[in-house]
Structure formats: structure tokens, C-alpha cells
PDB file of all heavy atoms in Angstrom:
ATOM      1  N   ALA A  11     -26.391  23.486  20.511  1.00 95.00           N
ATOM      2  CA  ALA A  11     -26.828  22.228  21.164  1.00 95.00           C
ATOM      3  C   ALA A  11     -26.114  22.148  22.588  1.00 95.00           C
ATOM      4  O   ALA A  11     -26.819  21.781  23.555  1.00 95.00           O
ATOM      5  CB  ALA A  11     -26.564  21.102  20.261  1.00 95.00           C
ATOM      6  N   ILE A  12     -24.780  22.446  22.635  1.00 94.00           N
ATOM      7  CA  ILE A  12     -24.106  22.406  23.866  1.00 94.00           C
ATOM      8  C   ILE A  12     -24.622  23.429  24.918  1.00 94.00           C
ATOM      9  O   ILE A  12     -25.020  23.076  26.031  1.00 94.00           O
ATOM     10  CB  ILE A  12     -22.604  22.666  23.751  1.00 94.00           C
ATOM     11  CG1 ILE A  12     -22.044  21.449  22.989  1.00 94.00           C
ATOM     12  CG2 ILE A  12     -21.985  22.920  25.086  1.00 94.00           C
ATOM     13  CD1 ILE A  12     -20.486  21.750  22.556  1.00 94.00           C
ATOM     14  N   CYS A  13     -25.057  24.612  24.450  1.00 94.00           N
ATOM     15  CA  CYS A  13     -25.664  25.631  25.273  1.00 94.00           C
ATOM     16  C   CYS A  13     -26.960  25.210  25.809  1.00 94.00           C
ATOM     17  O   CYS A  13     -27.186  25.335  27.035  1.00 94.00           O
ATOM     18  CB  CYS A  13     -25.839  27.010  24.564  1.00 94.00           C
ATOM     19  SG  CYS A  13     -26.549  28.280  25.365  1.00 94.00           S
ATOM     20  N   ASP A  14     -27.696  24.573  24.858  1.00 95.00           N
ATOM     21  CA  ASP A  14     -29.090  24.222  25.175  1.00 95.00           C
ATOM     22  C   ASP A  14     -29.046  23.099  26.204  1.00 95.00           C
ATOM     23  O   ASP A  14     -29.787  23.020  27.289  1.00 95.00           O
ATOM     24  CB  ASP A  14     -29.908  23.725  23.921  1.00 95.00           C
ATOM     25  CG  ASP A  14     -31.281  23.365  24.241  1.00 95.00           C
ATOM     26  OD1 ASP A  14     -32.082  24.305  24.518  1.00 95.00           O
ATOM     27  OD2 ASP A  14     -31.741  22.177  24.088  1.00 95.00           O
ATOM     28  N   LYS A  15     -28.196  22.034  25.958  1.00 95.00           N
ATOM     29  CA  LYS A  15     -28.109  20.845  26.906  1.00 95.00           C
ATOM     30  C   LYS A  15     -27.620  21.335  28.345  1.00 95.00           C
ATOM     31  O   LYS A  15     -27.978  20.820  29.315  1.00 95.00           O
ATOM     32  CB  LYS A  15     -27.119  19.895  26.201  1.00 95.00           C
ATOM     33  CG  LYS A  15     -27.082  18.611  27.042  1.00 95.00           C
ATOM     34  CD  LYS A  15     -26.205  17.482  26.275  1.00 95.00           C
ATOM     35  CE  LYS A  15     -26.301  16.267  27.218  1.00 95.00           C
ATOM     36  NZ  LYS A  15     -25.598  15.127  26.533  1.00 95.00           N
ATOM     37  N   THR A  16     -26.706  22.288  28.314  1.00 93.00           N
ATOM     38  CA  THR A  16     -26.037  22.690  29.625  1.00 93.00           C
ATOM     39  C   THR A  16     -27.063  23.433  30.524  1.00 93.00           C
ATOM     40  O   THR A  16     -27.090  23.340  31.667  1.00 93.00           O
ATOM     41  CB  THR A  16     -24.757  23.458  29.279  1.00 93.00           C
ATOM     42  OG1 THR A  16     -23.938  22.714  28.460  1.00 93.00           O
ATOM     43  CG2 THR A  16     -24.079  23.770  30.614  1.00 93.00           C
ATOM     44  N   LEU A  17     -27.783  24.363  29.805  1.00 95.00           N
ATOM     45  CA  LEU A  17     -28.542  25.419  30.564  1.00 95.00           C
ATOM     46  C   LEU A  17     -29.986  25.196  30.502  1.00 95.00           C
ATOM     47  O   LEU A  17     -30.721  25.820  31.394  1.00 95.00           O
ATOM     48  CB  LEU A  17     -28.187  26.825  30.039  1.00 95.00           C
ATOM     49  CG  LEU A  17     -26.799  27.213  30.254  1.00 95.00           C
ATOM     50  CD1 LEU A  17     -26.421  28.390  29.429  1.00 95.00           C
ATOM     51  CD2 LEU A  17     -26.423  27.267  31.701  1.00 95.00           C
ATOM     52  N   ARG A  18     -30.652  24.286  29.710  1.00 95.00           N
ATOM     53  CA  ARG A  18     -32.014  24.028  29.762  1.00 95.00           C
ATOM     54  C   ARG A  18     -32.393  23.624  31.059  1.00 95.00           C
ATOM     55  O   ARG A  18     -31.852  22.728  31.738  1.00 95.00           O
ATOM     56  CB  ARG A  18     -32.361  22.957  28.728  1.00 95.00           C
ATOM     57  CG  ARG A  18     -33.972  22.719  28.691  1.00 95.00           C
ATOM     58  CD  ARG A  18     -34.347  21.813  27.598  1.00 95.00           C
ATOM     59  NE  ARG A  18     -34.096  22.396  26.286  1.00 95.00           N
ATOM     60  CZ  ARG A  18     -34.889  23.285  25.554  1.00 95.00           C
ATOM     61  NH1 ARG A  18     -35.962  23.723  26.200  1.00 95.00           N
ATOM     62  NH2 ARG A  18     -34.593  23.690  24.291  1.00 95.00           N
ATOM     63  N   GLY A  19     -33.561  24.225  31.613  1.00 94.00           N
ATOM     64  CA  GLY A  19     -33.989  23.928  32.833  1.00 94.00           C
ATOM     65  C   GLY A  19     -33.329  24.770  34.057  1.00 94.00           C
ATOM     66  O   GLY A  19     -33.708  24.710  35.231  1.00 94.00           O
ATOM     67  N   GLN A  20     -32.206  25.259  33.755  1.00 93.00           N
ATOM     68  CA  GLN A  20     -31.383  26.040  34.723  1.00 93.00           C
ATOM     69  C   GLN A  20     -31.764  27.495  34.608  1.00 93.00           C
ATOM     70  O   GLN A  20     -31.562  28.237  35.649  1.00 93.00           O
ATOM     71  CB  GLN A  20     -30.011  25.758  34.561  1.00 93.00           C
ATOM     72  CG  GLN A  20     -29.504  24.349  34.328  1.00 93.00           C
ATOM     73  CD  GLN A  20     -29.698  23.650  35.764  1.00 93.00           C
ATOM     74  OE1 GLN A  20     -29.382  24.079  36.776  1.00 93.00           O
ATOM     75  NE2 GLN A  20     -30.340  22.497  35.607  1.00 93.00           N
ATOM     76  N   VAL A  21     -32.127  28.036  33.544  1.00 96.00           N
ATOM     77  CA  VAL A  21     -32.498  29.465  33.425  1.00 96.00           C
ATOM     78  C   VAL A  21     -33.773  29.576  32.648  1.00 96.00           C
ATOM     79  O   VAL A  21     -34.307  28.617  32.114  1.00 96.00           O
ATOM     80  CB  VAL A  21     -31.370  30.120  32.530  1.00 96.00           C
ATOM     81  CG1 VAL A  21     -30.017  30.175  33.334  1.00 96.00           C
ATOM     82  CG2 VAL A  21     -31.192  29.552  31.109  1.00 96.00           C
ATOM     83  N   HIS A  22     -34.366  30.785  32.811  1.00 96.00           N
ATOM     84  CA  HIS A  22     -35.565  31.072  32.070  1.00 96.00           C
ATOM     85  C   HIS A  22     -35.494  30.795  30.625  1.00 96.00           C
ATOM     86  O   HIS A  22     -34.501  31.107  30.088  1.00 96.00           O
ATOM     87  CB  HIS A  22     -36.051  32.493  32.426  1.00 96.00           C
ATOM     88  CG  HIS A  22     -37.445  32.784  31.904  1.00 96.00           C
ATOM     89  ND1 HIS A  22     -37.684  33.172  30.702  1.00 96.00           N
ATOM     90  CD2 HIS A  22     -38.543  32.867  32.736  1.00 96.00           C
ATOM     91  CE1 HIS A  22     -38.916  33.281  30.507  1.00 96.00           C
ATOM     92  NE2 HIS A  22     -39.561  33.242  31.849  1.00 96.00           N
ATOM     93  N   PRO A  23     -36.564  30.367  29.982  1.00 96.00           N
ATOM     94  CA  PRO A  23     -36.432  30.021  28.537  1.00 96.00           C
ATOM     95  C   PRO A  23     -36.022  31.340  27.627  1.00 96.00           C
ATOM     96  O   PRO A  23     -35.324  31.162  26.723  1.00 96.00           O
ATOM     97  CB  PRO A  23     -37.844  29.703  28.187  1.00 96.00           C
ATOM     98  CG  PRO A  23     -38.370  29.114  29.388  1.00 96.00           C
ATOM     99  CD  PRO A  23     -37.736  29.884  30.496  1.00 96.00           C
ATOM    100  N   TYR A  24     -36.345  32.595  28.108  1.00 97.00           N
ATOM    101  CA  TYR A  24     -35.824  33.691  27.317  1.00 97.00           C
ATOM    102  C   TYR A  24     -34.397  33.873  27.487  1.00 97.00           C
ATOM    103  O   TYR A  24     -33.734  34.288  26.482  1.00 97.00           O
ATOM    104  CB  TYR A  24     -36.581  35.021  27.974  1.00 97.00           C
ATOM    105  CG  TYR A  24     -38.091  35.163  27.586  1.00 97.00           C
ATOM    106  CD1 TYR A  24     -38.581  36.239  28.068  1.00 97.00           C
ATOM    107  CD2 TYR A  24     -38.695  34.148  26.729  1.00 97.00           C
ATOM    108  CE1 TYR A  24     -40.079  36.480  27.655  1.00 97.00           C
ATOM    109  CE2 TYR A  24     -40.113  34.361  26.495  1.00 97.00           C
ATOM    110  CZ  TYR A  24     -40.750  35.523  26.955  1.00 97.00           C
ATOM    111  OH  TYR A  24     -42.019  35.674  26.588  1.00 97.00           O
ATOM    112  N   VAL A  25     -33.816  33.584  28.585  1.00 97.00           N
ATOM    113  CA  VAL A  25     -32.398  33.739  28.693  1.00 97.00           C
ATOM    114  C   VAL A  25     -31.723  32.585  27.997  1.00 97.00           C
ATOM    115  O   VAL A  25     -30.723  32.903  27.238  1.00 97.00           O
ATOM    116  CB  VAL A  25     -31.860  33.646  30.331  1.00 97.00           C
ATOM    117  CG1 VAL A  25     -30.397  33.556  30.505  1.00 97.00           C
ATOM    118  CG2 VAL A  25     -32.645  34.666  31.218  1.00 97.00           C
ATOM    119  N   LEU A  26     -32.074  31.468  28.008  1.00 97.00           N
ATOM    120  CA  LEU A  26     -31.626  30.333  27.240  1.00 97.00           C
ATOM    121  C   LEU A  26     -31.681  30.681  25.737  1.00 97.00           C
ATOM    122  O   LEU A  26     -30.676  30.589  25.085  1.00 97.00           O
ATOM    123  CB  LEU A  26     -32.380  29.048  27.477  1.00 97.00           C
ATOM    124  CG  LEU A  26     -31.848  27.880  26.696  1.00 97.00           C
ATOM    125  CD1 LEU A  26     -30.400  27.644  26.941  1.00 97.00           C
ATOM    126  CD2 LEU A  26     -32.660  26.549  26.926  1.00 97.00           C
ATOM    127  N   ASN A  27     -32.817  31.046  25.272  1.00 96.00           N
ATOM    128  CA  ASN A  27     -32.834  31.459  23.891  1.00 96.00           C
ATOM    129  C   ASN A  27     -32.002  32.743  23.508  1.00 96.00           C
ATOM    130  O   ASN A  27     -31.325  32.690  22.371  1.00 96.00           O
ATOM    131  CB  ASN A  27     -34.389  31.768  23.452  1.00 96.00           C
ATOM    132  CG  ASN A  27     -35.208  30.609  23.424  1.00 96.00           C
ATOM    133  OD1 ASN A  27     -34.658  29.471  23.245  1.00 96.00           O
ATOM    134  ND2 ASN A  27     -36.527  30.717  23.548  1.00 96.00           N
ATOM    135  N   PHE A  28     -31.832  33.673  24.464  1.00 97.00           N
ATOM    136  CA  PHE A  28     -30.990  34.722  24.172  1.00 97.00           C
ATOM    137  C   PHE A  28     -29.519  34.262  24.037  1.00 97.00           C
ATOM    138  O   PHE A  28     -28.769  34.600  23.126  1.00 97.00           O
ATOM    139  CB  PHE A  28     -31.076  35.668  25.349  1.00 97.00           C
ATOM    140  CG  PHE A  28     -30.236  37.008  25.224  1.00 97.00           C
ATOM    141  CD1 PHE A  28     -30.521  37.978  24.386  1.00 97.00           C
ATOM    142  CD2 PHE A  28     -28.948  37.074  26.057  1.00 97.00           C
ATOM    143  CE1 PHE A  28     -29.779  39.001  24.162  1.00 97.00           C
ATOM    144  CE2 PHE A  28     -28.295  38.288  25.907  1.00 97.00           C
ATOM    145  CZ  PHE A  28     -28.628  39.186  24.979  1.00 97.00           C
ATOM    146  N   LEU A  29     -29.067  33.363  24.881  1.00 96.00           N
ATOM    147  CA  LEU A  29     -27.684  32.778  24.773  1.00 96.00           C
ATOM    148  C   LEU A  29     -27.511  32.037  23.522  1.00 96.00           C
ATOM    149  O   LEU A  29     -26.412  32.079  22.944  1.00 96.00           O
ATOM    150  CB  LEU A  29     -27.384  31.898  26.019  1.00 96.00           C
ATOM    151  CG  LEU A  29     -27.239  32.655  27.325  1.00 96.00           C
ATOM    152  CD1 LEU A  29     -27.210  31.719  28.492  1.00 96.00           C
ATOM    153  CD2 LEU A  29     -26.132  33.539  27.324  1.00 96.00           C
ATOM    154  N   LYS A  30     -28.516  31.311  23.090  1.00 96.00           N
ATOM    155  CA  LYS A  30     -28.545  30.479  21.902  1.00 96.00           C
ATOM    156  C   LYS A  30     -28.274  31.433  20.746  1.00 96.00           C
ATOM    157  O   LYS A  30     -27.571  31.247  19.826  1.00 96.00           O
ATOM    158  CB  LYS A  30     -29.689  29.515  21.767  1.00 96.00           C
ATOM    159  CG  LYS A  30     -29.623  28.423  22.758  1.00 96.00           C
ATOM    160  CD  LYS A  30     -30.887  27.657  22.888  1.00 96.00           C
ATOM    161  CE  LYS A  30     -31.706  27.119  21.823  1.00 96.00           C
ATOM    162  NZ  LYS A  30     -32.796  26.399  22.179  1.00 96.00           N
ATOM    163  N   ILE A  31     -28.954  32.616  20.675  1.00 95.00           N
ATOM    164  CA  ILE A  31     -28.834  33.556  19.651  1.00 95.00           C
ATOM    165  C   ILE A  31     -27.391  34.139  19.702  1.00 95.00           C
ATOM    166  O   ILE A  31     -26.838  34.171  18.532  1.00 95.00           O
ATOM    167  CB  ILE A  31     -29.779  34.726  19.810  1.00 95.00           C
ATOM    168  CG1 ILE A  31     -31.322  34.161  19.532  1.00 95.00           C
ATOM    169  CG2 ILE A  31     -29.489  35.880  18.960  1.00 95.00           C
ATOM    170  CD1 ILE A  31     -32.338  35.117  19.885  1.00 95.00           C
ATOM    171  N   LEU A  32     -26.895  34.414  20.877  1.00 95.00           N
ATOM    172  CA  LEU A  32     -25.384  34.891  20.858  1.00 95.00           C
ATOM    173  C   LEU A  32     -24.425  33.817  20.304  1.00 95.00           C
ATOM    174  O   LEU A  32     -23.592  34.194  19.610  1.00 95.00           O
ATOM    175  CB  LEU A  32     -25.057  35.306  22.306  1.00 95.00           C
ATOM    176  CG  LEU A  32     -25.806  36.570  22.828  1.00 95.00           C
ATOM    177  CD1 LEU A  32     -25.267  36.694  24.325  1.00 95.00           C
ATOM    178  CD2 LEU A  32     -25.528  37.758  22.019  1.00 95.00           C
ATOM    179  N   CYS A  33     -24.786  32.621  20.692  1.00 93.00           N
ATOM    180  CA  CYS A  33     -23.884  31.459  20.162  1.00 93.00           C
ATOM    181  C   CYS A  33     -23.965  31.359  18.607  1.00 93.00           C
ATOM    182  O   CYS A  33     -22.959  31.199  17.959  1.00 93.00           O
ATOM    183  CB  CYS A  33     -24.298  30.097  20.800  1.00 93.00           C
ATOM    184  SG  CYS A  33     -23.787  29.903  22.475  1.00 93.00           S
ATOM    185  N   GLU A  34     -25.210  31.451  18.173  1.00 91.00           N
ATOM    186  CA  GLU A  34     -25.526  31.294  16.677  1.00 91.00           C
ATOM    187  C   GLU A  34     -24.711  32.378  15.959  1.00 91.00           C
ATOM    188  O   GLU A  34     -24.083  32.234  14.991  1.00 91.00           O
ATOM    189  CB  GLU A  34     -26.896  31.442  16.402  1.00 91.00           C
ATOM    190  CG  GLU A  34     -27.716  30.267  16.576  1.00 91.00           C
ATOM    191  CD  GLU A  34     -29.201  30.473  16.282  1.00 91.00           C
ATOM    192  OE1 GLU A  34     -29.634  31.605  16.008  1.00 91.00           O
ATOM    193  OE2 GLU A  34     -29.983  29.545  16.525  1.00 91.00           O
ATOM    194  N   ARG A  35     -24.587  33.634  16.505  1.00 91.00           N
ATOM    195  CA  ARG A  35     -24.083  34.709  15.854  1.00 91.00           C
ATOM    196  C   ARG A  35     -22.525  34.788  16.261  1.00 91.00           C
ATOM    197  O   ARG A  35     -21.883  35.724  15.696  1.00 91.00           O
ATOM    198  CB  ARG A  35     -24.787  36.038  16.256  1.00 91.00           C
ATOM    199  CG  ARG A  35     -26.120  36.054  15.872  1.00 91.00           C
ATOM    200  CD  ARG A  35     -26.800  37.416  16.119  1.00 91.00           C
ATOM    201  NE  ARG A  35     -28.157  37.360  15.870  1.00 91.00           N
ATOM    202  CZ  ARG A  35     -28.828  37.548  14.617  1.00 91.00           C
ATOM    203  NH1 ARG A  35     -28.090  37.678  13.691  1.00 91.00           N
ATOM    204  NH2 ARG A  35     -29.974  37.489  14.496  1.00 91.00           N
ATOM    205  N   GLY A  36     -22.071  33.942  16.982  1.00 89.00           N
ATOM    206  CA  GLY A  36     -20.565  33.977  17.418  1.00 89.00           C
ATOM    207  C   GLY A  36     -20.297  35.126  18.326  1.00 89.00           C
ATOM    208  O   GLY A  36     -19.263  35.813  18.197  1.00 89.00           O
ATOM    209  N   ALA A  37     -21.200  35.615  19.075  1.00 91.00           N
ATOM    210  CA  ALA A  37     -21.137  36.838  19.815  1.00 91.00           C
ATOM    211  C   ALA A  37     -21.320  36.544  21.241  1.00 91.00           C
ATOM    212  O   ALA A  37     -21.628  37.609  22.075  1.00 91.00           O
ATOM    213  CB  ALA A  37     -22.237  37.810  19.382  1.00 91.00           C
ATOM    214  N   LEU A  38     -20.950  35.409  21.769  1.00 92.00           N
ATOM    215  CA  LEU A  38     -21.227  35.216  23.301  1.00 92.00           C
ATOM    216  C   LEU A  38     -20.206  36.112  23.999  1.00 92.00           C
ATOM    217  O   LEU A  38     -20.382  36.511  25.209  1.00 92.00           O
ATOM    218  CB  LEU A  38     -20.727  33.802  23.633  1.00 92.00           C
ATOM    219  CG  LEU A  38     -21.202  33.323  24.965  1.00 92.00           C
ATOM    220  CD1 LEU A  38     -22.777  33.477  25.165  1.00 92.00           C
ATOM    221  CD2 LEU A  38     -20.829  31.786  25.268  1.00 92.00           C
ATOM    222  N   CYS A  39     -19.124  36.686  23.387  1.00 92.00           N
ATOM    223  CA  CYS A  39     -18.105  37.497  24.086  1.00 92.00           C
ATOM    224  C   CYS A  39     -18.796  38.891  24.359  1.00 92.00           C
ATOM    225  O   CYS A  39     -18.224  39.628  25.118  1.00 92.00           O
ATOM    226  CB  CYS A  39     -16.836  37.722  23.215  1.00 92.00           C
ATOM    227  SG  CYS A  39     -17.298  38.470  21.563  1.00 92.00           S
ATOM    228  N   GLU A  40     -19.998  39.071  23.793  1.00 95.00           N
ATOM    229  CA  GLU A  40     -20.630  40.328  24.107  1.00 95.00           C
ATOM    230  C   GLU A  40     -21.650  40.183  25.318  1.00 95.00           C
ATOM    231  O   GLU A  40     -22.371  41.111  25.615  1.00 95.00           O
ATOM    232  CB  GLU A  40     -21.551  40.778  22.874  1.00 95.00           C
ATOM    233  CG  GLU A  40     -20.782  41.043  21.652  1.00 95.00           C
ATOM    234  CD  GLU A  40     -20.145  42.429  21.558  1.00 95.00           C
ATOM    235  OE1 GLU A  40     -20.378  43.154  22.587  1.00 95.00           O
ATOM    236  OE2 GLU A  40     -19.440  42.775  20.764  1.00 95.00           O
ATOM    237  N   PHE A  41     -21.730  39.100  25.962  1.00 96.00           N
ATOM    238  CA  PHE A  41     -22.651  38.694  26.964  1.00 96.00           C
ATOM    239  C   PHE A  41     -22.631  39.776  28.083  1.00 96.00           C
ATOM    240  O   PHE A  41     -23.523  40.352  28.487  1.00 96.00           O
ATOM    241  CB  PHE A  41     -22.502  37.290  27.535  1.00 96.00           C
ATOM    242  CG  PHE A  41     -23.455  36.995  28.501  1.00 96.00           C
ATOM    243  CD1 PHE A  41     -24.897  36.718  28.358  1.00 96.00           C
ATOM    244  CD2 PHE A  41     -23.087  37.098  29.838  1.00 96.00           C
ATOM    245  CE1 PHE A  41     -25.683  36.457  29.342  1.00 96.00           C
ATOM    246  CE2 PHE A  41     -23.990  36.880  31.001  1.00 96.00           C
ATOM    247  CZ  PHE A  41     -25.327  36.573  30.621  1.00 96.00           C
ATOM    248  N   ALA A  42     -21.405  40.099  28.567  1.00 95.00           N
ATOM    249  CA  ALA A  42     -21.288  41.106  29.702  1.00 95.00           C
ATOM    250  C   ALA A  42     -21.742  42.296  29.420  1.00 95.00           C
ATOM    251  O   ALA A  42     -22.514  42.999  30.202  1.00 95.00           O
ATOM    252  CB  ALA A  42     -19.840  41.045  30.120  1.00 95.00           C
ATOM    253  N   GLY A  43     -21.597  42.757  28.210  1.00 96.00           N
ATOM    254  CA  GLY A  43     -22.122  44.137  27.690  1.00 96.00           C
ATOM    255  C   GLY A  43     -23.647  44.092  27.635  1.00 96.00           C
ATOM    256  O   GLY A  43     -24.295  44.990  27.993  1.00 96.00           O
ATOM    257  N   CYS A  44     -24.202  42.957  27.246  1.00 97.00           N
ATOM    258  CA  CYS A  44     -25.691  42.674  27.157  1.00 97.00           C
ATOM    259  C   CYS A  44     -26.201  42.830  28.530  1.00 97.00           C
ATOM    260  O   CYS A  44     -27.321  43.414  28.685  1.00 97.00           O
ATOM    261  CB  CYS A  44     -25.979  41.433  26.373  1.00 97.00           C
ATOM    262  SG  CYS A  44     -25.584  41.316  24.739  1.00 97.00           S
ATOM    263  N   GLU A  45     -25.587  42.205  29.393  1.00 97.00           N
ATOM    264  CA  GLU A  45     -25.954  42.111  30.883  1.00 97.00           C
ATOM    265  C   GLU A  45     -25.977  43.662  31.317  1.00 97.00           C
ATOM    266  O   GLU A  45     -26.876  44.088  32.062  1.00 97.00           O
ATOM    267  CB  GLU A  45     -25.077  41.243  31.707  1.00 97.00           C
ATOM    268  CG  GLU A  45     -25.607  40.975  33.087  1.00 97.00           C
ATOM    269  CD  GLU A  45     -25.081  41.978  34.195  1.00 97.00           C
ATOM    270  OE1 GLU A  45     -24.122  42.666  33.780  1.00 97.00           O
ATOM    271  OE2 GLU A  45     -25.655  42.122  35.238  1.00 97.00           O
ATOM    272  N   ALA A  46     -25.021  44.279  31.120  1.00 95.00           N
ATOM    273  CA  ALA A  46     -24.841  45.683  31.434  1.00 95.00           C
ATOM    274  C   ALA A  46     -25.963  46.635  30.929  1.00 95.00           C
ATOM    275  O   ALA A  46     -26.523  47.409  31.671  1.00 95.00           O
ATOM    276  CB  ALA A  46     -23.411  46.350  31.245  1.00 95.00           C
TER     277      ALA A  46
END
């Protein structure tokens, strides 16, 4: 919910949903690797 509230409308919905999946899985620390 924090991720959604902070980033909704700021990024493409696919990016937002991707970040929400990472948050759900406790894997936001993997974001830089995902970007790479």
C-alpha cells in the first residue's frame, strides 16, 4: 500500500506492479539487479 500510494501516477503501471510484486516477496533489495 505504501509503494502504491507513493508511486501511483508517477511511473508506468507495469513498473508499479513490478515494484509491488518485489515488495510482496520481500525482494526489493533485488531491484538494482532487475534493472540491470
